[in-house]
Amino acid sequence: MRYLQCLFIFYGVVAAASPQVKLDYATYVGTSLPAGVNQFLGMRFAAPPLGNLRWRHPADPLVETSPVHASAHGPICYTLGAAFDPNATTLSEDCLFIDVYTPSGASESSKLPVWFFIQGGGYIQNSNANYNGTGVIVESGRNIVVVNFNYRVGAFGFLASERVAKDGTLNVGLLDQRKALLWVQKHISKFGGDPNHVVIHGVSAGGGSVTHHLTAFGGRNDGLFVGAIGESVFWPREAPIPELEFQFDLFAAAAGCGNVTTGNQMACLRAQNTSTLVAANVPHPFQGRAANPDFFYTPTIDGDFVRDHLYTLFREGKFIRVPTIIGDDDDEGTDFAANASTPAAVTSFLTDNYPQLTPADGARITELYPLRAPLPGHAPFFPSAAAAFGEGTFTCPSNFILAQINRVHQPVWNYRFSVVQADDAAAGLGVPHASELPAIFGPAFVPGASGSTFATANAPIVPVVMNYWISFIRALDPNPHRVAGAPEWVQFDTANQRRLKFVLNDTHVEQIPADEDTRCAFWNEIGARIEQ
């Protein structure tokens, strides 16, 4: 397995030669690794979103007259609830940086497929930053280019109000992503990548972002990508602007701009120092609720990039037709659910996150999610709360997307990841949200995963998962370059709803169970309503 060989050589002595790439605004000096991979870290793809550029469409990066050393990751964007630290190097408001990993021998004529990864974090943090593309490049036979980047989150990326719309731009976090895609179109050939063969892959909020790019501008295809992977697709509450004015009022007041005239509030916010804005970037309950939701700032319907609820856009066929992989994990909700001890506590927790749930919805949820087998360290109805939130927010939207893509006769593949890690099982989490990430990129290349069971007991699943993903990046089909002995991953269709189930030493095709289908029918029926 090439990725295992790469583990031993990646951390070796860096080769002496330093690769350079000359772009129209800067010359970047990267690092040549012994693994046969060049990495360019912390390159700017947009201007610093500071001062007058706050809550505006990302601007072009500034011109650099001297070569810039691209040898370290740039800081990630301020997270919701983070404390301001003037000496911090890992968090910053100036955070729009991009990383590129490419085979050392690649040139402009190589035209290699491009793996464009959109990290997750619930739109409130950059939680999957600094993944390293070396492992998958080596495993591919040095036949791909990998891109990773940051985007604005929390109040900096998703503050919503008519005041923002009038003097700024809504959903700038999503527009940062699009700016990065446009950067790839313009510059990736200099790194050996093919701008006409870009596959977008996102996890969690990154997976939700993938669906926003599929439906952007009502499904307008600007040729930015040719395939898509949605991993644990996150569809939270995405309310229209009038429902979110209270968020702006709370943020403006906390930032010292609550008492200025309405027309000057944006100017006031843009004039504040970063520390003041960071202190104001905290969660609050939705109106009429007592507890904070899991995710307070999320995309909103802006009438342009996001033209309607995702459920509506997919149902109406307003999405780009490209080959797609969509999948999730056994226990998507265990990382987020309240430790509910009664059925009423389950519905209360869900309503904190989805205030539009009605009493009738609550009664139906109680029927669909009765008392389940207990999980270690949790109250009796925690498994019910976790299953309801996980399916309502992740699994069922994914199943809905599958059906809509299949309806327009585009190839789509579905999966369920069921590989248990001992520490997660002991903590009562099952196979939690986004568990497959270390298997996709390799545990040595995902921060914090090098000591996981994917490097030990679960190591055999890594090449299986990794090579399905590599195959899709290269061929827009997970099968041609799958690892030897892995089963054929059959396409999903609504007639029998087949998916690939990843199980250690027993990966196989299964049908979506009938009871899951019944529960998802409920969530997908009410989905557009509770997004408000």
Side-chain angles (χ1 to χ4, degrees), residues 172-186:
V172 292
L174 291 175
L175 296 178
D176 291 343
Q177 298 173 11
R178 191 170 181 88
K179 183 71 169 177
L181 277 167
L182 291 167
W183 184 94
V184 165
Q185 285 297 304
K186 187 174 184 180

Side-chain angles (χ1 to χ4, degrees), residues 340-356:
S341 58
T342 65
V346 174
T347 56
S348 179
F349 155 70
L350 292 170
T351 308
D352 287 336
N353 286 278
Y354 296 102
Q356 302 295 347

Side-chain angles (χ1 to χ4, degrees), residues 297-527:
Y297 288 107
T298 52
T300 185
I301 298 170
D302 58 29
D304 187 28
F305 189 84
V306 183
R307 296 193 174 180
D308 209 330
H309 294 295
L310 288 167
Y311 272 107
T312 301
L313 292 168
F314 273 94
R315 189 172 280 118
E316 293 179 352
K318 295 177 179 178
F319 57 88
I320 299 170
R321 274 74 163 156
V322 293
T324 305
I325 290 175
I326 300 283
D328 64 340
D329 304 270
D330 279 351
D331 302 288
E332 287 284 355
T334 52
D335 279 339
F336 313 104
N339 202 18
S341 58
T342 65
V346 174
T347 56
S348 179
F349 155 70
L350 292 170
T351 308
D352 287 336
N353 286 278
Y354 296 102
Q356 302 295 347
L357 283 171
T358 66
D361 296 332
R364 182 61 174 148
I365 289 167
T366 299
E367 293 176 3
L368 291 172
Y369 298 93
L371 186 66
R372 295 185 166 210
L375 289 172
H378 292 96
F381 278 88
F382 169 79
S384 300
F389 185 78
E391 291 189 337
T393 307
F394 301 100
T395 301
C396 296
S398 295
N399 292 358
F400 174 80
I401 297 166
L402 292 165
Q404 303 312 308
I405 295 176
N406 178 249
R407 182 171 57 86
V408 297
H409 309 295
Q410 275 293 313
V412 60
W413 292 265
N414 183 216
Y415 73 88
R416 170 62 60 89
F417 193 73
S418 302
V419 179
V420 179
Q421 294 198 76
D423 54 347
D424 287 333
L429 299 177
V431 183
H433 180 63
S435 291
E436 66 273 34
L437 274 171
I440 293 171
F441 289 98
F445 304 99
V446 174
S450 58
S452 73
T453 59
F454 290 109
T456 55
N458 285 331
I461 199 67
V462 175
V464 176
V465 176
M466 184 184 289
N467 281 282
Y468 279 125
W469 260 248
I470 289 170
S471 181
F472 187 80
I473 300 299
R474 295 178 63 187
L476 303 180
D477 184 325
N479 292 299
H481 303 289
R482 70 186 187 273
V483 74
E488 180 183 1
W489 189 345
V490 299
Q491 291 185 30
F492 174 89
D493 64 80
T494 53
N496 53 27
Q497 302 194 102
R498 292 176 294 178
R499 66 187 178 196
L500 192 68
K501 185 168 184 174
F502 288 103
V503 181
L504 184 64
N505 301 321
D506 186 30
T507 295
H508 61 274
V509 175
E510 69 168 13
Q511 286 185 301
I512 293 177
D515 59 337
E516 179 182 319
D517 204 38
T518 298
R519 295 189 298 272
C520 283
F522 162 74
W523 287 111
N524 294 336
E525 178 183 353
I526 69 171

Side-chain angles (χ1 to χ4, degrees), residues 224-309:
L224 300 182
F225 54 89
V226 296
I229 304 174
E231 180 190 348
S232 294
V233 170
F234 176 48
W235 277 13
R237 184 178 189 241
E238 296 187 333
I241 297 171
E243 296 287 331
L244 300 175
E245 293 288 353
F246 83 98
Q247 289 182 329
F248 183 94
D249 292 337
L250 290 168
F251 180 78
C257 298
N259 293 324
V260 302
T261 58
T262 301
N264 292 328
Q265 280 183 297
M266 292 303 298
C268 176
L269 289 172
R270 292 189 175 109
Q272 295 290 32
N273 56 43
T274 298
S275 62
T276 299
L277 299 179
V278 168
N281 185 27
V282 295
H284 300 274
F286 287 134
Q287 290 180 302
R289 303 301 303 170
N292 290 340
D294 284 288
F295 306 99
F296 186 60
Y297 288 107
T298 52
T300 185
I301 298 170
D302 58 29
D304 187 28
F305 189 84
V306 183
R307 296 193 174 180
D308 209 330
H309 294 295

